Amino acid sequence: MKTFLFFTICLIKGHMGDAADGMPGIAGGSVIINCLYGHQNQKTRESAKSFCKVSGSECTTMTEVKNDLWIPEERFSMTDNTSLGLISVFIRNLTVNDSGTYRCKAGSASIQMVNFNVEQEPCCGRSEDQTAYILTTAVIHCKYPVNYKDHLKLLYKVQNGSLESIIVTLGDSVTSGRFSLNVNEQEHVFTVTITDVSRSDAGVYYCGVHPNNPFFTHFFTEIQLHVSEQTDAPVQSASVVIIIIVEALVLLLIAVPVIIVAVRNKKSKGLLSFNPVFYEQIKDTGLPCNPEDRDTITTVVYSCVDSSALSTPQHK
C-alpha cells in the first residue's frame, strides 16, 4: 500500500494547482478523491481539514477528518496523512446528485478544487455478498466500463478502518501470494482468485480501477466476503439430497406404470395365444373349435381338454 501511495503522490505533484477533473464516477459505486497539500508547511499540516461541495458562493461541508477512512454508516469519510501531506476522501454508494465541484480545505484555505461527475452505467455499481469456505478457493468478479479498459485494475480490502491495496495490475494478469488477478478485455471483467481461504480473508473488498488521473480511484463493486467452515453449509448438502430424492421419485413414477402395462400385456398374450398342437389334437376329437374365436378357445380349454381327450379315439 505504501508503494501505491507513493506512486499516487508522485503523479499528483505533477498536477498541483490544477483543478482535478477525473473520469466519471459510476452510480452505485464508490470513489477515493486525493488532495495533496505538502507536509513541509507546518501551518497547513496542523490545520483542520475538510471536504465541501461548492454551490454558488457557498461551500457545504460534506465531511471532516476522521480516524477511519471507511465508516460503514457514513457515505462520506476523510483521513489526513500528515506525514505524506495527503488528504483522502472516500465516497460510497454514489448517486448522480453527487456530481459537482468540491474543495479540499485546510482551515479556511482551499487546497484543491475537484470537478466530479457521476453517471449511470448498467454494467457496474453494485454491492454483493459472497461466502467462501476455509481451505477452498474464492473467486471475485469485477465488471468495468469499456472506457476504463486501459487503466490499472485493482482490489482493495478494508483493514482497520482503512482501504489497503491487495493486488494491482496494468497487464492481463498478476499473482501475489494467494491472490491472482486475470483480466478478460473482451468481456470487460477481471477476476480475482483467492486460494487456501482462511478466516482472515473475511471482510469488505472493493474492486475497480485507478485511471491516469492521480486524483481519483474508482470502485465498481463492493463485496462482503464471509468465510465459514465446510460444516457450516448443511443447507447446501440437504438441498442436493432433496434434489436426488425428487429425481428418483419422478423416475419411479414413470417406471411403475410402464412395468405394470408390460406385465399385463405379457399375461394377455399368454392367455390369448393359440397352441397349434393342442388345436390339432382337439380337432380330432370332433369338437367344434375355431382358433380365432377367443371365447371358444377359453371354453374348450376349460371344458373339453384333458389328457384322455388328446389321445386318438378308438372305433368300435
Side-chain angles (χ1 to χ4, degrees):
M1 180 61 180
K2 289 182 178 179
T3 302
F4 190 74
L5 274 177
F6 179 75
F7 169 75
T8 301
I9 290 169
C10 289
L11 289 175
I12 292 175
K13 283 184 175 180
H15 294 79
M16 287 187 69
D18 300 335
D21 293 294
M23 297 186 74
I26 302 301
S30 303
V31 66
I32 294 177
I33 300 174
N34 296 305
C35 298
L36 187 69
Y37 59 84
H39 63 282
Q40 294 87 354
N41 188 317
Q42 183 176 353
K43 182 180 179 180
T44 302
R45 188 172 65 246
E46 294 176 352
S47 297
K49 312 302 189 304
S50 62
F51 185 73
C52 63
K53 186 175 184 180
V54 176
S55 178
S57 59
E58 301 292 325
C59 196
T60 304
T61 299
M62 307 303 295
T63 185
E64 297 177 340
V65 170
K66 310 286 178 63
N67 292 328
D68 295 328
L69 183 63
W70 190 84
I71 304 173
E73 63 273 13
E74 296 186 18
R75 283 208 313 124
F76 285 77
S77 54
M78 176 180 182
T79 58
D80 178 18
N81 189 327
T82 55
S83 61
L84 295 176
L86 180 69
I87 294 173
S88 295
V89 179
F90 186 39
I91 312 175
R92 301 172 61 215
N93 302 323
L94 292 167
T95 70
V96 292
N97 292 330
D98 293 324
S99 300
T101 300
Y102 295 85
R103 282 187 188 145
C104 294
K105 297 172 64 177
S108 60
S110 176
I111 299 172
Q112 184 76 50
M113 292 282 288
V114 179
N115 297 319
F116 183 57
N117 188 41
V118 179
E119 297 180 351
Q120 297 283 354
E121 176 58 58
C123 80
C124 318
R126 66 182 187 276
S127 300
E128 59 185 45
D129 281 15
Q130 288 187 212
T131 299
Y133 298 99
I134 291 176
L135 299 181
T136 63
T137 298
V139 179
I140 296 172
H141 300 283
C142 185
K143 293 189 72 67
Y144 57 88
V146 62
N147 53 325
Y148 290 84
K149 65 184 181 67
D150 296 325
H151 303 299
L152 285 166
K153 313 299 187 302
L154 48 83
L155 180 75
Y156 274 37
K157 184 184 180 184
V158 177
Q159 301 272 35
N160 301 318
S162 181
L163 288 173
E164 300 289 340
S165 174
I166 300 297
I167 190 167
V168 180
T169 185
L170 188 57
D172 294 333
S173 64
V174 65
T175 298
S176 177
R178 296 182 300 110
F179 291 80
S180 60
L181 191 158
N182 294 278
V183 181
N184 184 333
E185 291 188 353
Q186 287 71 33
E187 299 294 332
H188 310 304
V189 61
F190 65 87
T191 302
V192 177
T193 302
I194 311 172
T195 59
D196 297 326
V197 170
S198 66
R199 289 282 186 189
S200 62
D201 293 321
V204 178
Y205 292 82
Y206 287 90
C207 60
V209 301
H210 188 76
N212 296 331
N213 190 308
F215 296 100
F216 300 93
T217 300
H218 293 284
F219 300 110
F220 307 126
T221 307
E222 177 181 322
I223 305 100
Q224 174 71 62
L225 182 64
H226 307 275
V227 175
S228 302
E229 298 281 354
Q230 288 283 3
T231 54
D232 292 344
V235 175
Q236 183 178 4
S237 301
S239 299
V240 173
V241 172
I242 291 172
I243 291 171
I244 293 173
I245 292 174
V246 170
E247 289 178 349
L249 289 174
V250 171
L251 291 174
L252 188 61
L253 289 173
I254 295 173
V256 168
V258 172
I259 294 172
I260 291 174
V261 171
V263 170
R264 286 180 176 175
N265 288 340
K266 186 175 181 181
K267 288 182 178 180
S268 299
K269 290 180 180 178
L271 290 172
L272 301 178
S273 61
F274 184 77
N275 189 326
V277 176
F278 280 177
Y279 170 69
E280 294 296 334
Q281 292 172 338
I282 293 171
K283 183 177 68 175
D284 290 344
T285 65
L287 297 173
C289 184
N290 183 351
E292 293 184 318
D293 187 340
R294 295 184 180 180
D295 293 336
T296 302
I297 293 170
T298 304
T299 302
V300 171
V301 171
Y302 287 144
S303 301
C304 303
V305 177
D306 58 32
S307 59
S308 60
L310 298 177
S311 62
T312 304
Q314 299 294 326
H315 298 278
K316 293 182 180 180

